[in-house]
Structures are given as C-alpha cells and as structure tokens.
Amino acid sequence: MPIRTRVAALAALTAAALAVGAAATAQAGAAPGGTAQKNASAQKNASAPKKAAAPRFLAASELPPHPTGWTAGPVTDGFPEQLAYCLGEGVPAYDYRHRLFHTELDTSAVQVTVVTGSAAKGKALADRLNKEIRTCAARLERLYPEIEAEGRFFGTLPVEEGATVHGLHTETSYGATDVNLLSVGRDGRTVTVVGWGQMGDFHDAPLAAFKKTAKKAVTKLY
C-alpha cells in the first residue's frame, strides 16, 4: 500500500475512534452541552490529512502562437510516448501525468509533470532529464544510422528553481527534417517537461515564444 494511502487510512480510523468515544462520553453525561462531540469534531478535522494541490498544466493559449490555433487534450496519467525518442529509456519510475496538444497542421506539443518525494529528488530528476536531452542527438545517430541529428542548448530561464531550454534537429537519409524544442523546469519537488515539434529546422522554431511557454509551465504549476 502506498505511503499516502496508509497515512489516509490511519487518519480515518483515528477520526472514527474519536467520534465513537465522544458520543459514548456525551451519552454518559460526562460532557454537558455537547462539548465532547464538538471536541471530537475538532480533533477529527485536525487529524485529517491535507491533500496537496495537483500541479496545473498549460492551456492551449499559452503555447507558441500557431496560424491554425492549438487544441489541448485532457490531462492523462502516464509518461507520454511523444517524448520517448529522447527520454523513454532514461526516465525513472514516477507517477507521471501529461497533456497533449495539436494543431490542424504538423505542429504538436506535450507537457509532462511529476511530483517527486522531495526537493532533492526533484533536482536529481531534473538533472537526469537534462542529461538525457543533451545526449539525445548522439544516441539517435547511434541507434538509427539513417538519421543525422543535432542538439543545441538554448540556456536557462530564471523561474522558481530554474528551467533549461534545448533544441533538436533531425534529418533522415530520404530528406525528412524535423525540429523539436524541449524544456525542463522545476518548482521544489515538482518537475515539468514541455516539448514542441514540427517539420523544418532551427530557423523554423519559435524559440522566443517557446521560452515564454517554458517559463509559464513552471510558474503555473502552483
């Protein structure tokens, strides 16, 4: 049973026991005026665990502008296969959630968010993801000889515990080219990754607008 489930179950049992004990005491006349019941209610509320707010996701309007506009899908559990080309092999086991975005043309985007156990674990995960992205181009060329890949680092963003921005361009032996922008951001123990991609090269990538999106993804978490 997960730790959070065990804690919630224990709190519920404790609250129930307090309520039963208070009712018995009131019936025996030991607490006139319903004082015992009021105390039990207060203790129950104090014992109940506070549920942390879930991280919020980007809206379609917060992505880099596109002529056809964006459509946002629902927030879904799991790690998105859309990021597996760079991160699929190097992602530690956590409870990820993600949202997909698409346009009427070939441009798409994705955001994945995870709440780790502590700020230290969040930092370790963000560092791991940044390393995987930095080495993505070399791994793609090693695994797929028909692909030429180039990775670029576009700097950091001053937001919460920081965010980094990367770019990746791929070209196949038959001429297909794609460009992707990726960011990794952290707010305490929560890490979020944003990916954007379309056909083309680095000249076609809306870097300035994507940096605004990457920054918004972090500030909007909480």
Side-chain angles (χ1 to χ4, degrees):
M1 180 184 293
I3 293 176
R4 285 180 294 179
T5 304
R6 289 202 301 267
V7 171
L10 179 60
L13 289 173
T14 302
L18 287 171
V20 171
T25 304
Q27 290 176 354
T35 302
Q37 289 182 347
K38 293 179 181 179
N39 289 341
S41 178
Q43 287 176 321
K44 178 179 179 181
N45 291 335
S47 300
K50 294 182 179 179
K51 185 177 180 180
R56 293 181 297 166
F57 281 74
L58 291 167
S61 60
E62 293 165 331
L63 293 173
H66 191 275
T68 70
W70 289 92
T71 298
V75 175
T76 306
D77 291 337
F79 191 86
E81 62 180 15
Q82 286 77 7
L83 292 177
Y85 68 96
C86 263
L87 301 175
E89 297 295 328
V91 176
Y94 279 110
D95 293 330
Y96 298 92
R97 305 176 75 216
H98 69 274
R99 167 174 274 179
L100 302 180
F101 306 85
H102 69 271
T103 67
E104 294 181 10
L105 298 177
D106 64 323
T107 309
S108 61
V110 59
Q111 181 184 10
V112 59
T113 297
V114 58
V115 181
T116 67
S118 65
K121 289 182 178 180
K123 182 180 184 303
L125 177 59
D127 290 345
R128 172 73 174 272
L129 295 174
N130 276 307
K131 180 180 178 181
E132 293 293 326
I133 294 174
R134 286 196 304 269
T135 59
C136 182
R139 283 185 283 113
L140 287 175
E141 289 189 338
R142 186 174 65 251
L143 292 172
Y144 306 101
E146 72 279 10
I147 289 180
E148 292 185 5
E150 178 189 359
R152 294 185 184 181
F153 178 63
F154 292 119
T156 60
L157 301 175
V159 55
E160 299 300 341
E161 276 67 58
T164 54
V165 180
H166 308 261
L168 176 70
H169 174 250
T170 59
E171 183 173 359
T172 67
S173 57
Y174 51 86
T177 64
D178 290 280
V179 60
N180 291 271
L181 298 175
L182 300 109
S183 69
V184 179
R186 183 171 70 91
D187 183 354
R189 61 178 184 153
T190 302
V191 178
T192 188
V193 178
V194 180
W196 171 99
Q198 70 174 30
M199 294 176 62
D201 57 27
F202 286 120
H203 296 293
D204 303 306
L207 181 58
F210 181 79
K211 286 185 175 181
K212 292 181 180 179
T213 294
K215 190 172 183 178
K216 183 66 175 182
V218 179
T219 60
K220 190 176 181 179
L221 287 171
Y222 299 105

